[in-house]
mmCIF file of all heavy atoms in Angstrom:
data_model
loop_
_atom_site.group_PDB
_atom_site.id
_atom_site.type_symbol
_atom_site.label_atom_id
_atom_site.label_comp_id
_atom_site.label_asym_id
_atom_site.label_seq_id
_atom_site.Cartn_x
_atom_site.Cartn_y
_atom_site.Cartn_z
ATOM 1 N N THR A 5 -72.457 50.611 -117.220
ATOM 2 C CA THR A 5 -71.445 51.358 -116.474
ATOM 3 C C THR A 5 -71.527 51.037 -114.998
ATOM 4 O O THR A 5 -72.188 50.178 -114.594
ATOM 5 C CB THR A 5 -71.683 52.863 -116.652
ATOM 6 O OG1 THR A 5 -72.908 53.262 -115.901
ATOM 7 C CG2 THR A 5 -71.841 53.237 -118.116
ATOM 8 N N GLU A 38 -53.518 58.288 -112.779
ATOM 9 C CA GLU A 38 -54.493 59.299 -112.393
ATOM 10 C C GLU A 38 -55.803 59.074 -113.102
ATOM 11 O O GLU A 38 -56.760 59.383 -112.525
ATOM 12 C CB GLU A 38 -53.885 60.657 -112.846
ATOM 13 C CG GLU A 38 -52.651 61.129 -112.032
ATOM 14 C CD GLU A 38 -51.907 62.256 -112.719
ATOM 15 O OE1 GLU A 38 -52.410 62.828 -113.704
ATOM 16 O OE2 GLU A 38 -50.789 62.499 -112.251
ATOM 17 N N ARG A 39 -55.851 58.518 -114.308
ATOM 18 C CA ARG A 39 -57.104 58.416 -114.985
ATOM 19 C C ARG A 39 -57.952 57.206 -114.537
ATOM 20 O O ARG A 39 -59.160 57.031 -114.905
ATOM 21 C CB ARG A 39 -56.877 58.189 -116.504
ATOM 22 C CG ARG A 39 -56.177 59.466 -117.045
ATOM 23 C CD ARG A 39 -56.164 59.518 -118.513
ATOM 24 N NE ARG A 39 -57.408 60.029 -119.060
ATOM 25 C CZ ARG A 39 -57.621 60.376 -120.265
ATOM 26 N NH1 ARG A 39 -56.699 60.292 -121.253
ATOM 27 N NH2 ARG A 39 -58.805 60.858 -120.723
ATOM 28 N N PRO A 42 -61.111 57.910 -110.576
ATOM 29 C CA PRO A 42 -62.678 57.860 -110.492
ATOM 30 C C PRO A 42 -63.239 56.463 -110.295
ATOM 31 O O PRO A 42 -64.138 56.334 -109.541
ATOM 32 C CB PRO A 42 -63.086 58.642 -111.694
ATOM 33 C CG PRO A 42 -61.911 59.466 -112.200
ATOM 34 C CD PRO A 42 -60.719 58.670 -111.755
ATOM 35 N N ALA A 91 -49.879 41.654 -105.112
ATOM 36 C CA ALA A 91 -50.028 40.212 -105.014
ATOM 37 C C ALA A 91 -49.226 39.472 -106.062
ATOM 38 O O ALA A 91 -49.435 39.714 -107.180
ATOM 39 C CB ALA A 91 -51.514 39.795 -105.151
ATOM 40 N N ALA A 98 -54.219 36.404 -101.321
ATOM 41 C CA ALA A 98 -54.202 37.785 -101.095
ATOM 42 C C ALA A 98 -55.551 38.530 -101.175
ATOM 43 O O ALA A 98 -55.902 39.326 -100.406
ATOM 44 C CB ALA A 98 -53.373 38.473 -102.367
ATOM 45 N N ARG A 114 -49.334 39.481 -117.954
ATOM 46 C CA ARG A 114 -48.607 38.902 -119.110
ATOM 47 C C ARG A 114 -47.355 37.964 -118.615
ATOM 48 O O ARG A 114 -46.780 37.408 -119.501
ATOM 49 C CB ARG A 114 -48.073 39.963 -120.042
ATOM 50 C CG ARG A 114 -49.299 40.716 -120.749
ATOM 51 C CD ARG A 114 -48.715 41.673 -121.744
ATOM 52 N NE ARG A 114 -49.774 42.427 -122.385
ATOM 53 C CZ ARG A 114 -49.721 43.365 -123.262
ATOM 54 N NH1 ARG A 114 -48.466 43.895 -123.515
ATOM 55 N NH2 ARG A 114 -50.730 43.946 -123.805
ATOM 56 N N LEU A 133 -61.706 35.122 -108.466
ATOM 57 C CA LEU A 133 -61.245 35.993 -107.446
ATOM 58 C C LEU A 133 -62.251 37.082 -107.141
ATOM 59 O O LEU A 133 -62.188 37.822 -106.204
ATOM 60 C CB LEU A 133 -59.910 36.689 -107.947
ATOM 61 C CG LEU A 133 -58.793 35.722 -108.319
ATOM 62 C CD1 LEU A 133 -57.604 36.603 -108.836
ATOM 63 C CD2 LEU A 133 -58.303 34.937 -107.150
ATOM 64 N N ARG A 147 -57.168 44.230 -127.896
ATOM 65 C CA ARG A 147 -56.449 43.032 -127.779
ATOM 66 C C ARG A 147 -57.484 42.002 -127.215
ATOM 67 O O ARG A 147 -58.194 42.231 -126.258
ATOM 68 C CB ARG A 147 -55.334 43.086 -126.730
ATOM 69 C CG ARG A 147 -54.324 44.173 -127.097
ATOM 70 C CD ARG A 147 -53.550 43.868 -128.319
ATOM 71 N NE ARG A 147 -52.500 44.776 -128.486
ATOM 72 C CZ ARG A 147 -51.726 45.037 -129.664
ATOM 73 N NH1 ARG A 147 -52.216 44.398 -130.659
ATOM 74 N NH2 ARG A 147 -50.794 45.836 -129.625
ATOM 75 N N LEU A 171 -65.464 55.627 -124.769
ATOM 76 C CA LEU A 171 -66.423 55.193 -125.640
ATOM 77 C C LEU A 171 -67.476 56.244 -126.040
ATOM 78 O O LEU A 171 -67.921 56.345 -127.181
ATOM 79 C CB LEU A 171 -67.155 53.930 -125.124
ATOM 80 C CG LEU A 171 -66.226 52.653 -124.953
ATOM 81 C CD1 LEU A 171 -67.055 51.684 -124.348
ATOM 82 C CD2 LEU A 171 -65.687 52.231 -126.316
ATOM 83 N N GLU A 182 -72.344 65.091 -134.907
ATOM 84 C CA GLU A 182 -72.985 66.340 -135.444
ATOM 85 C C GLU A 182 -72.270 66.717 -136.680
ATOM 86 O O GLU A 182 -71.004 66.652 -136.559
ATOM 87 C CB GLU A 182 -73.018 67.414 -134.493
ATOM 88 C CG GLU A 182 -74.004 67.275 -133.254
ATOM 89 C CD GLU A 182 -74.027 68.624 -132.540
ATOM 90 O OE1 GLU A 182 -74.455 69.585 -133.046
ATOM 91 O OE2 GLU A 182 -73.749 68.599 -131.320
ATOM 92 N N VAL A 205 -63.191 58.345 -145.305
ATOM 93 C CA VAL A 205 -63.778 59.019 -146.407
ATOM 94 C C VAL A 205 -65.169 58.699 -146.580
ATOM 95 O O VAL A 205 -66.054 59.472 -147.153
ATOM 96 C CB VAL A 205 -63.009 58.630 -147.817
ATOM 97 C CG1 VAL A 205 -61.612 59.096 -147.793
ATOM 98 C CG2 VAL A 205 -63.037 57.110 -148.026
ATOM 99 N N GLY A 214 -52.112 65.502 -143.762
ATOM 100 C CA GLY A 214 -50.869 66.239 -143.600
ATOM 101 C C GLY A 214 -49.684 65.410 -143.356
ATOM 102 O O GLY A 214 -49.660 64.097 -143.505
ATOM 103 N N ALA A 239 -48.858 55.288 -155.087
ATOM 104 C CA ALA A 239 -49.531 56.280 -155.847
ATOM 105 C C ALA A 239 -50.884 55.753 -156.267
ATOM 106 O O ALA A 239 -51.852 56.568 -156.225
ATOM 107 C CB ALA A 239 -48.671 56.673 -157.027
ATOM 108 N N ALA A 278 -45.704 77.217 -153.635
ATOM 109 C CA ALA A 278 -46.905 76.466 -154.097
ATOM 110 C C ALA A 278 -46.520 75.022 -154.131
ATOM 111 O O ALA A 278 -45.356 74.507 -154.153
ATOM 112 C CB ALA A 278 -47.243 76.825 -155.442
ATOM 113 N N ASP A 290 -43.595 71.034 -143.907
ATOM 114 C CA ASP A 290 -44.807 71.518 -143.217
ATOM 115 C C ASP A 290 -45.774 72.074 -144.245
ATOM 116 O O ASP A 290 -45.396 72.369 -145.388
ATOM 117 C CB ASP A 290 -44.409 72.672 -142.267
ATOM 118 C CG ASP A 290 -45.508 72.891 -141.140
ATOM 119 O OD1 ASP A 290 -46.345 72.059 -141.138
ATOM 120 O OD2 ASP A 290 -45.415 73.873 -140.505
ATOM 121 N N ASP A 324 -43.349 73.199 -137.037
ATOM 122 C CA ASP A 324 -44.477 72.917 -136.191
ATOM 123 C C ASP A 324 -45.552 73.968 -136.353
ATOM 124 O O ASP A 324 -46.637 73.875 -135.697
ATOM 125 C CB ASP A 324 -43.960 72.816 -134.737
ATOM 126 C CG ASP A 324 -43.283 74.197 -134.219
ATOM 127 O OD1 ASP A 324 -43.024 75.079 -135.114
ATOM 128 O OD2 ASP A 324 -43.034 74.340 -133.048
ATOM 129 N N GLY A 349 -53.790 59.171 -130.196
ATOM 130 C CA GLY A 349 -52.541 58.669 -130.896
ATOM 131 C C GLY A 349 -51.264 59.383 -130.262
ATOM 132 O O GLY A 349 -51.334 60.543 -129.872
ATOM 133 N N ALA A 354 -48.702 64.378 -128.187
ATOM 134 C CA ALA A 354 -47.464 65.165 -128.011
ATOM 135 C C ALA A 354 -47.594 66.505 -128.745
ATOM 136 O O ALA A 354 -47.164 67.479 -128.228
ATOM 137 C CB ALA A 354 -46.291 64.364 -128.516
ATOM 138 N N LEU A 376 -56.799 54.122 -132.906
ATOM 139 C CA LEU A 376 -56.615 53.873 -134.304
ATOM 140 C C LEU A 376 -57.582 52.848 -134.853
ATOM 141 O O LEU A 376 -58.225 53.093 -135.990
ATOM 142 C CB LEU A 376 -55.221 53.579 -134.692
ATOM 143 C CG LEU A 376 -54.216 54.737 -134.969
ATOM 144 C CD1 LEU A 376 -52.874 54.221 -135.183
ATOM 145 C CD2 LEU A 376 -54.772 55.587 -136.098
#
Side-chain angles (χ1 to χ4, degrees):
T5 69
E38 291 162 13
R39 299 194 79 169
R114 291 185 180 173
L133 305 175
R147 308 294 189 198
L171 293 176
E182 284 191 63
V205 293
D290 199 11
D324 56 352
L376 269 178

